[in-house]
Amino acid sequence: MGTGAVAVAAPDRAKQRRAGGHLWKKALLHFSLCFVMGFFTGFAPSSSSSWKSAAATPQHHPPHRPGDRLAASRVAVDARATLSPPAEAADALSAGATVDLGDDEEDAAQRRLLIVVTTTRSGPGERRRRRGELLRLAHTLRLVRPPVVWVVVEPAADAPATAEVLRGTGVMYRHLAFKPEDNFTTADAEAHVQRNAALAHVEKHRLAGVLHFADAAGVYDVGFFEQIRQIEAFGTWPVATMSAGEKKVVVEGPLCSASKVVGWFSRDFNDGTTRSVTYNTEADLNPAGAAGTRAHTIDVSGFAFNSSILWDPERWGRPTSLPDTSQDSIKFVQEVLLEDRAKLKGIPSDCSQIMVWQYSVPSSR
Amino acid sequence: MGKGSARALALALAVILACSDVAVVTAQETERIEGSAGDVLEDDPVGRLKVYVYDLPSKYNKKLLKKDPRCLNHMFAAEIFMHRFLLSSAVRTFNPEEADWFYTPVYTTCDLTPKGLPLPFKSPRMMRSAIQLIATNWPYWNRSEGADHFFVTPHDFGACFHYQEEKAIGRGILPLLQRATLVQTFGQKNHVCLKDGSITIPPYAPPQKMQTHLIPPDTPRSIFVYFRGLFYDTGNDPEGGYYARGARASVWENFKNNPLFDISTDHPPTYYEDMQRSVFCLCPLGWAPWSPRLVEAVVFGCIPVIIADDIVLPFADAIPWEEIGVFVAEDDVPQLDSILTSIPTDVVLRKQRLLANPSMKQAMLFPQPAQPGDAFHQILNGLARKLPHGSNVFLKPGERALNWTAGPPGDLKPW
Amino acid sequence: MKSLLPRSELRRSSAAAVRSSAGGAAGGDGAVADGGGAGPRAPASSTFWFLLHALCCLISLFLGFRFSRLLFFMLFSTTALYHSTSSSSSAAVLRATTTTTTTTTTTTTTTNTFTLSFAAANTPPSGPANRTALEAAAEADKAAASGNPQSHVVVGRHGIRIRPWPHPDPVEVMRAHGIMERVQEEQRRWYGVKEPRQVLAVTPTYSRAFQALHLTGLLHSLRNVPYPLTWIVVEAGGTTNATASMLARSGLTVVHIPFPDRMPTEWADRHATENRMRLHALRVIRERKMDGVVVFADDSNVHSMELFDEVQKVQWMGAVSIGILAHTGTADQLRLSEEDKQNMPLPVQGPACNSSGHLAGWHTFNSLPFSGKTATVVGEAAPVLPRGLEWAGFVLNSRMLWKEAEGKPDWVKDLDAVGENGEEIENPLTLLNDPSSVEPLGNCGKKVLLWWLRVEARADSKFPQGWVIEPPLEVVVPAKRTPWPETTPELPSELLDDKQKLEDRHLSRGNKSSQPRGTTKRKGDPQGQDN
């Protein structure tokens, strides 16, 4: 490469010398400057889209090699040039009983991948309930427009039985059989390890999408999943928690103003109390003020985030070295979520519609 | 579009400028695999040929198996099951004079490492010893020097008897087997380890085990692409690029982040079930072009995506691989997603319909006991189709074709 | 990088750029007049020199650009995209790659993590490893050269082809989903029921705290049913807008029927009322002569899709097995040892078969461990258990309800003769004269096809209407800090925190007394550092 540049420049230089000594020096300077400039412009952009188009284009028209390959694959590649689906496929899609795929591809292409992570608890009662609950969540996810990937984390011993339920649902799921190394003393500790296992999977595979931890015991409105697709970085919403056998309905979540999170609230509808924390806009810039808000944690049922934070933290302005994401990813995410409030989106825009319900059973402790 | 192609052009230019000694090579020429309708699968070989089974001392077969019963379970086990099948088969004859084919029951791959991997180092000497034995005890070998004999050699590179391709190519097919018909799993066009007239068979996959993992055929197929297996063989190929000619590594690097590609190195207990809920199953080459995935994909009705240039597929004259599978050139692996998603849905459905055909599945398996149309019968069909023997099979009196002293000196030592 | 233009345009535009920059330089310098500055010569030649200069500048620029791209390209693909046949060149490429990788990874850390990870995976960081790689390549090449010329297999190291665009094309992803959807549809066509009957799902419901939770779950399940379906929803205490709007959003064919009685708060009464509501629905089916298979889908139950396949098989009346998800709760803890709890299988209620596959009896729920510990009032903190045989475990051909239907068996009672005098219909077996004719479904009842669950809050629990939190939210904020929040006065952070602490303490005092011990799902506690 370097030799190429010199070779081109050489005759030019010779001519310039005749014109005057300082001239060719100057010319050479120009050339090298240009070279350096070109060199750096080459590095600078690397926006994935431009890369993509540059590299993808040749594939649209593959060179027809002598001894053309097997018809199936070759035809397939050629067909790529036409971006519209085959007519009969389109018909079938619109006729599809469950998932609405009939919308045009352009719209579909805007849709982010949803990564729904469901952890399981191994308490005796919960294990018995697990299949039914997973089934209910699966039915909801089956109605969400693709692309959706459901990551189910489960102790390896229970996995084959559950797999039977899951595979009947038709949801694209990944079943992470997880080998508990020690007996967990609390359900929280177990959930924590399972979540990290799921995040490790996402990290290893560099799955890019909106990630949410969906509790199988919770109930989601289908529309909810379309809402969280809009999340660019982080999103949060109100969650209703009801207690079985008690007089207790609590809604907790963000206080929002035009999708911007301005605080947090918790409201008990039965004793009528509401507690809230609002952000002081000035404190935002003040590390000491932010510290106050940092102390409260956000439950996993109440947020979703862009999974690229796990494997591309630099994109989010975070040094790679600081948090060891492979160790405790979920904590990392929870911290990032509360620190980077500017990127936090309230869902829906005024955070008033409840689309997630959970219930707790008093005896499950 | 314009800018893209311009850039690509410039890129290519730059590459040529930079390393002018790099020759840009287009992929090798390939031919279409001969395919035909699946009705050949239904053929019954009984009455079309007679096979004489040499009675060898048990040290060539049964004793080896007794020493290591694991030989019954690995993917080379076809040599054992073929022997068992022939012993009780209707095509077997006890009169060697009326036999069309002679079979030498020798278990050359039944020498396993503690981990269960077959070692081929003793195989050449063992094979040589067996051939010496039959050549001295019976007159039939010398009459044709093996041209009417068949051998089951299901090792990685067949009768080349080595698991590393370079070494296998260096060795070539065992000189004593130059005239024999080889029944082997290895199949790659224009390869020294695949001679003309060989019969390529599927690797052995445990039929009972697969049977127990069958799930209802209406289980919705919800995985687009499925693969479980190695991407890098770091133990044997630490720097990558040798194993699977880089194709598996390429699959991982390009598609690990694609939600449609359920690919991993973990082997889950639900492996067989997951194949049955997948639309496409990747069957990339490994150290050799074939793998048990071919069998598993066909049995479980998952469209095999065959990534192995110039592969010769099992029973390619009876199974319409082109109709049921998708062939992707090793060079095209980075475009795998585009290739698969642009297959017209009708074609996908058609492939799946063909895969649902039970005769196709049957032909891939070595069941115990044998069933009509299974892989045993397909092997016999293949042998029957070579009959009657041509004039070149039998040697003239005094004529000699084999060189008994050819090959590496190590192979000439007694077994 | 303005290469969004075709190459010719790119050249032109950068030529302009070069020209202007050259002009600028000349201006600063002062010594050279016009760009290239071959002043005294003829204008033609001056233009020529200038153009030549510009062209060379441009070439340098272009080469520099390409050079950096090449580096990039190599980083991405190691030996990628093109593999060489000749032995020397493959080694050369390899060498070039390894050196560029080691020198540039440090400078390009910001460009792309993809590159880095790949470099790490394939280029062992230590020098000796690189050397061995080269040696191995050379060896391989030798082997290939000495190999049989008949084989045109390239033995040796191959490039690992990695495309420079890292992520899947969303359009292709959607197309793949389209293919899968089609494949699944085709599977249903091949293996599914050929002429499916309509499913008539009967659901008794009423407005309460858990209604949205339960009904949403059921609604999603029903939407997944691959057969024509009519959902008959009977609502106690008359139809409400909340229920109606949920049903409307489901997109299903719904018959929403009001039921005059309010739902009582005692479980025993609620069961009886629900039975009467189901019977009411059956009468509607009879009146309207609705044709299909009746399924009793209670709003809190979970149904597997297999159930709906199975019910297609029913001739007159069928029974399926139900898994009972009684949250066994405190009773469990009292009466069962830890080991028993672990091993206790899911309780199942359903038909039992004899060896010939005919109904032999019923598996019933063993309520012995719960005796005296079950809930009597809806929303009581105690297990709720099924009473006798649950309706949910039965399916029937709607024609057996009709006044007249072809082939209607004589062992079916006329619906008018049942429950007219207000007596409770415990289960659908009451509709029959001969309960032995019930067909066991789901592999003779061996397969659990739905899960029965009863969880309710206390009947007097309040919940937001339509689950919308009415704005403006009654936010408790210190009086001086209104209006909220934009005009919040600047406060030192300590002061702010103190205020919040005060505020939280005040609130939590009122709150904690009513806080039960059992809420494991406490969410984002907004109490700040009070905790």
Side-chain angles (χ1 to χ4, degrees), chain A residues 39-125:
Chain A
F39 186 85
F40 283 107
T41 26
F43 267 123
S46 81
S47 83
S48 61
S49 63
S50 70
W51 258 113
K52 186 180 154 154
S53 51
T57 314
Q59 270 81 50
H60 283 282
H61 299 289
H64 278 272
R65 298 182 179 122
D68 213 350
R69 245 155 261 276
L70 290 152
S73 71
R74 185 54 60 205
V75 164
V77 178
D78 289 344
R80 196 175 179 267
T82 59
L83 289 179
S84 59
E88 72 282 333
D91 289 346
L93 297 182
S94 54
T98 48
V99 180
D100 174 28
L101 276 166
D103 43 15
D104 66 8
E105 284 190 340
E106 211 168 295
D107 166 48
Q110 305 298 318
R111 248 183 260 152
R112 280 196 189 86
L113 172 69
L114 282 180
I115 306 166
V116 181
V117 176
T118 300
T119 57
T120 53
R121 279 159 294 186
S122 53

Side-chain angles (χ1 to χ4, degrees), chain A residues 202-214:
Chain A
V202 172
E203 196 176 336
K204 186 180 176 202
H205 282 266
R206 295 172 169 254
L207 293 177
V210 178
L211 194 153
H212 169 59
F213 293 97

Side-chain angles (χ1 to χ4, degrees), chain A residues 338-357:
Chain A
L338 289 169
E339 282 171 32
D340 252 347
R341 220 168 48 234
K343 292 183 185 140
L344 193 57
K345 181 183 162 84
I347 287 174
S349 58
D350 59 350
C351 302
S352 64
Q353 177 71 52
I354 290 156
M355 292 180 287
V356 184
W357 295 270

Side-chain angles (χ1 to χ4, degrees), chain C residues 502-516:
Chain C
L502 272 173
E503 170 191 324
D504 289 336
R505 207 169 293 144
H506 166 75
L507 286 165
S508 53
R509 212 183 304 131
N511 221 17
K512 264 179 189 149
S513 55
S514 70
Q515 219 164 45

